[in-house]
Amino acid sequence: MTDFDGNTTSSQVITLIRGELGFGITNVAPVPSSHTVAVSFSSASKGEVKYSIYDMAGRLMNQSTSSTEEGINNIELDIRHYAAGVYFISINNGNDVRVMRCFEQGD
């Protein structure tokens, strides 16, 4: 690193090793939403997931399946007809279930 005054110093290098990319939700955007929600999730293998949307009372609002590839996957959910409020997105790969919250702001 070179400072503003021209002095150069160096430090020890630290190596970071990432573990195996497992199953999990990595991002939900935009928050809050008024029409669609983009959900990104990681998968350790190719396969299929079932995703569900629940309201705060636990009522199932929508459910569907999607094929997955190893790595990062994306699905887009249409929530434009939902009332304003908090909803839970659940993704199930048959072995694990991950849940993330989203907010519908209405029109």
Side-chain angles (χ1 to χ4, degrees):
M1 175 175 81
T2 303
D3 294 334
F4 291 112
D5 61 5
N7 291 329
T8 301
T9 58
S10 60
S11 61
Q12 293 181 339
V13 175
I14 300 172
T15 302
L16 300 176
I17 300 173
R18 293 186 76 162
E20 178 182 323
L21 185 62
F23 178 66
I25 298 174
T26 58
N27 191 40
V28 175
V31 176
S33 177
S34 61
H35 297 294
T36 60
V37 174
V39 179
S40 298
F41 63 96
S42 60
S43 179
S45 61
K46 187 175 181 174
E48 189 172 271
V49 295
K50 178 171 70 173
Y51 59 89
S52 308
I53 303 174
Y54 297 92
D55 68 8
M56 284 292 290
R59 290 183 295 249
L60 180 63
M61 303 298 292
N62 188 18
Q63 188 172 55
S64 190
T65 59
S66 179
S67 59
T68 63
E69 297 293 329
E70 182 178 347
I72 300 297
N73 295 267
N74 300 294
I75 54 176
E76 191 167 297
L77 307 175
D78 184 357
I79 61 171
R80 76 182 78 227
H81 301 294
Y82 295 178
V86 178
Y87 294 88
F88 295 93
I89 300 167
S90 169
I91 300 180
N92 181 340
N93 70 357
N95 296 315
D96 296 304
V97 178
R98 299 293 184 257
V99 178
M100 182 73 88
R101 203 173 39 194
C102 73
F103 302 92
E104 164 60 45
Q105 68 182 3
D107 288 328

